[in-house]
Amino acid sequence: MKQLNLFLSALMFIAFVSCEADDDDKLPKGSGGDGGGGKAGSAALVVTNGTSGDSKNTNKNATGNDNLDSRYEIPHIIGGNDNYILIRSTDAYGINYIIEWNNSKKAQRWTAFQMYNGNSGTSWNRNYWQNQTDNEWAMKNLQDYGYADPFQPDPDLPKEVRTELSDYKGSGYSRGHICASADRLNSMQANEQTFYLSNMMPQTSKLNEGTWANMENQVRKWNDNKYRETLYVVKGGTIDDQHLLSPAKTGLVVPEYFFMGIVSKLSNKYRGIAFILEHANPGNKAAPKNYVFTIDQLEQMTGIDFFCNLPDDIEKEVEANVDRSFWGM
């Protein structure tokens, strides 16, 4: 941990330069770049990743599933029998978010999603859950916790590999959203899916309500025509053995670091930025600009190959640089 803290401290002094790249490739089909569709609440999939034969994109996913092989927000998938892919979708808006879930640790590696005009409506409000008396999870949480957010175990994960409400109760940690509830207000269905426990990671209340919340608010500010046609977002917490805190009292895997990787496409130009936040030392609602890194640096820390579905030349430029002026950082 000490070595990693020194590593992160050193990275903070690296100068960032502008990054712009043109892309002649078409985005995945759909409104605003969304390659959506598919059954709402799609079941878990075990994915075996192949080898890309694309000379312009040698590290792209090759799973045989277009939702995973063409969407720019999806990192490189490990796949295999110890990992499920959870594709969340809704009847009205298609793909909501996608998760790679590690069965052994009962924790996600990442959550990936898109933000654009077509899925950024606000027809739903989190406060509406208190009126949903026919929703068993909203009423259970109202009874147990005093508020009606519909936190619930993931219905598409086998019980032996999923987390339960009881894992968080008495754990000392909050149920921290990865795809934020406030990022999915286009429908009741989309918002409820953000309360699946597969979309949660244990977070201290200081982090959850402080700097992490500030980072989420910053991403929502970027979800605007001034910054994007589409935002490609990947978020999560470290679950590799080298980057864990002591397990929670109930056995939950607790990340040592939380992260966000964001790519903006605007006027056929791509720009990238990353945040890395230490769980045990999240600052006191500190400004996100204090935690800015390149995506390359995020990859070095996590071992995850982010935005691998971008053509290699664009990916290289986007991940190596941060245009701080563009992002207002």
Side-chain angles (χ1 to χ4, degrees):
M1 178 175 177
K2 185 178 294 184
Q3 288 181 334
L4 188 56
N5 287 337
L6 291 172
F7 167 70
L8 290 176
S9 297
L11 291 181
M12 293 299 290
F13 291 97
I14 295 177
F16 298 109
V17 296
S18 173
C19 166
E20 294 184 351
D22 292 331
D23 175 23
D24 293 329
D25 292 346
K26 293 181 179 180
L27 290 171
K29 292 181 180 179
S31 174
D34 180 66
K39 182 180 177 181
S42 302
L45 305 170
V46 176
V47 173
T48 300
N49 211 351
T51 302
S52 172
D54 186 348
S55 61
K56 294 183 179 179
N57 195 348
T58 55
N59 65 327
K60 71 179 292 185
N61 284 307
T63 68
N65 184 320
D66 190 58
N67 285 325
L68 307 177
D69 298 347
S70 65
R71 293 175 66 93
Y72 291 159
E73 73 272 24
I74 305 300
H76 196 76
I77 291 167
I78 292 178
N81 292 327
D82 199 34
N83 293 280
Y84 279 132
I85 296 296
L86 299 163
I87 301 177
R88 295 290 168 223
S89 56
T90 70
D91 299 321
Y93 292 93
I95 298 294
N96 196 15
Y97 61 84
I98 297 175
I99 286 175
E100 184 164 22
W101 180 263
N102 183 266
N103 299 331
S104 297
K105 294 186 175 180
K106 297 184 180 180
Q108 62 161 276
R109 294 185 67 232
W110 46 260
T111 292
F113 56 96
Q114 297 179 8
M115 302 173 78
Y116 53 90
N117 287 344
N119 68 3
S120 298
T122 55
S123 63
W124 187 254
N125 187 299
R126 186 168 177 170
N127 294 329
Y128 294 169
W129 286 113
Q130 61 188 337
N131 301 319
Q132 300 301 309
T133 56
D134 60 342
N135 186 295
E136 65 169 306
W137 296 108
M139 293 303 99
K140 177 176 175 54
N141 281 276
L142 181 62
Q143 178 180 343
D144 292 349
Y145 297 98
Y147 50 85
D149 292 332
F151 290 101
Q152 58 191 278
D154 192 305
D156 289 331
L157 284 174
K159 289 185 178 181
E160 63 269 19
V161 302
R162 75 186 189 188
T163 50
E164 304 286 348
L165 291 171
S166 57
D167 294 326
Y168 281 90
K169 197 166 187 177
S171 69
Y173 290 94
S174 299
R175 297 168 291 195
H177 279 75
I178 303 303
C179 179
S181 167
D183 291 341
R184 289 299 188 249
L185 300 177
N186 53 53
S187 70
M188 180 176 72
Q189 186 182 26
N191 190 250
E192 182 170 12
Q193 288 179 358
T194 70
F195 288 94
Y196 291 168
L197 293 183
S198 57
N199 184 46
M200 304 291 150
M201 299 195 87
Q203 295 182 339
T204 62
S205 57
K206 183 178 180 181
L207 179 138
N208 184 251
E209 299 168 12
T211 306
W212 183 255
N214 283 356
M215 289 178 175
E216 291 180 322
N217 288 333
Q218 181 60 66
V219 174
R220 279 189 285 277
K221 290 178 182 177
W222 290 332
N223 186 30
D224 182 272
N225 290 336
K226 294 183 296 184
Y227 293 101
R228 60 91 184 107
E229 292 156 13
T230 303
L231 281 184
Y232 303 97
V233 183
V234 189
K235 298 165 64 178
T238 54
I239 65 168
D240 56 295
D241 292 339
Q242 293 76 25
H243 297 153
L244 290 174
L245 297 180
S246 298
K249 299 174 184 177
T250 56
L252 287 168
V253 167
V254 182
E256 184 179 11
Y257 291 88
F258 283 88
F259 61 82
M260 300 184 185
I262 302 105
V263 167
S264 163
K265 180 184 184 293
L266 179 65
S267 300
N268 214 33
K269 295 179 180 179
Y270 292 80
R271 298 174 177 90
I273 191 169
F275 295 129
I276 303 174
L277 183 57
E278 187 178 3
H279 196 172
N281 186 30
N284 185 19
K285 297 187 177 180
K289 67 180 181 181
N290 298 328
Y291 302 92
V292 172
F293 294 86
T294 66
I295 295 167
D296 275 344
Q297 291 165 338
L298 178 59
E299 289 183 333
Q300 186 178 351
M301 191 199 76
T302 62
I304 297 172
D305 184 2
F306 294 95
F307 305 106
C308 64
N309 291 338
L310 282 168
D312 289 343
D313 56 341
I314 298 175
E315 181 187 1
K316 181 179 179 180
E317 289 294 320
V318 163
E319 295 184 351
N321 308 293
V322 174
D323 184 346
R324 281 181 172 263
S325 176
F326 173 80
W327 296 106
M329 294 283 107

